[in-house]
Amino acid sequence: MKFSSNDFCPCGSLKKYKKCCKIFHDRINFPKTALELMKSRFSAFAVCNPEYIISTTHKKNPDFSNDSKSWSQDIVNFSKNTKFDKLEILDFIED
């Protein structure tokens, strides 16, 4: 799916993508909270940005791989074959 900077952000904030998660994806800002990180990662999957997913995955996460080329392709395949309707966060704990 082609995604425009002027579309609403996939994270559900009702802000335009360019004023919301794109600032994290473009490394203009970094998420300051766990909530911002969760939303930005959801949006990265929705807009098919494997680099952001890889860079924000902890090395102890079971999904982490040193083979970033293959991992990136897996993320692209997942993103292209998944419909990201909405993000619903039931709970989160800071720190």
Side-chain angles (χ1 to χ4, degrees):
M1 174 183 140
K2 192 73 174 158
F3 204 84
S4 166
S5 294
N6 287 315
D7 289 339
F8 285 112
C9 192
C11 79
S13 67
L14 300 179
K15 296 179 187 176
K16 295 204 176 194
Y17 173 57
K18 67 183 176 186
K19 298 283 187 181
C20 195
C21 291
K22 189 173 189 315
I23 62 172
F24 302 129
H25 299 167
D26 292 345
R27 308 295 197 278
I28 295 167
N29 282 333
F30 295 94
K32 293 179 181 73
T33 66
L35 181 60
E36 284 183 341
L37 180 61
M38 282 190 283
K39 289 174 137 188
S40 68
R41 285 177 55 85
F42 176 86
S43 293
F45 278 112
V47 302
C48 197
N49 184 338
E51 295 81 16
Y52 186 77
I53 297 300
I54 290 169
S55 72
T56 58
T57 302
H58 194 279
K59 290 183 182 201
K60 291 186 179 180
N61 184 305
D63 293 330
F64 185 86
S65 173
N66 287 318
D67 182 356
S68 58
K69 186 176 180 180
S70 175
W71 186 14
S72 179
Q73 190 56 54
D74 288 345
I75 293 168
V76 167
N77 291 336
F78 175 75
S79 292
K80 288 184 176 181
N81 292 296
T82 304
K83 187 175 180 186
F84 296 90
D85 286 329
K86 74 175 192 173
L87 174 64
E88 185 176 343
I89 298 172
L90 301 177
D91 194 16
F92 70 95
I93 300 170
E94 288 300 334
D95 298 330

